[in-house]
Amino acid sequence: MPEPGDRIILRGIRAEGIVGVYAFERDAERPLTVDVELTIDLAPAGASDAVADTVDYDEVTATVRTLCAQRQPELVETLAVAIADALLDDGRIAAAEVTVHKPGAVADVEDVAVHVVRRRATR
């Protein structure tokens, strides 16, 4: 169920990383796509028109790409949770929804995706 409130949505963040249980999955980086939805009060940014009063989209994208490149977990689930937790380090964010897509993870399946929701109160 979506969080109530204002949201920032970034869809289709392209990244690369090593995610997988099998040796062939761990021999080279593969493409990943990440969608992020952040629940945040946008009233301050709406009033000030200042990027300092909101979340910088470039910083969110950089965080996602860095974690995809550095973590190298076996499970897509682990990566999705790590991304959501890192985004919640910004105290203004009330909730982070993260979907990590790993295309080609299963033979004859176009896309496998894991979606996690983390709320500040449950951290």
Side-chain angles (χ1 to χ4, degrees), residues 88 94 118-123:
L88 284 175
R118 294 293 179 270
R119 294 172 183 84
R120 180 155 306 285
T122 60
R123 286 189 78 202

Side-chain angles (χ1 to χ4, degrees), residues 6-39:
D6 302 334
R7 302 182 115 200
I8 292 174
I9 301 169
L10 288 84
R11 296 214 191 282
I13 299 170
R14 289 183 298 276
E16 296 215 344
I18 294 174
V19 182
V21 175
Y22 304 107
F24 73 88
E25 294 178 297
R26 305 199 64 76
D27 65 3
E29 289 186 335
R30 308 267 193 254
L32 302 166
T33 304
V34 180
D35 303 325
V36 173
E37 296 190 24
L38 305 173
T39 302

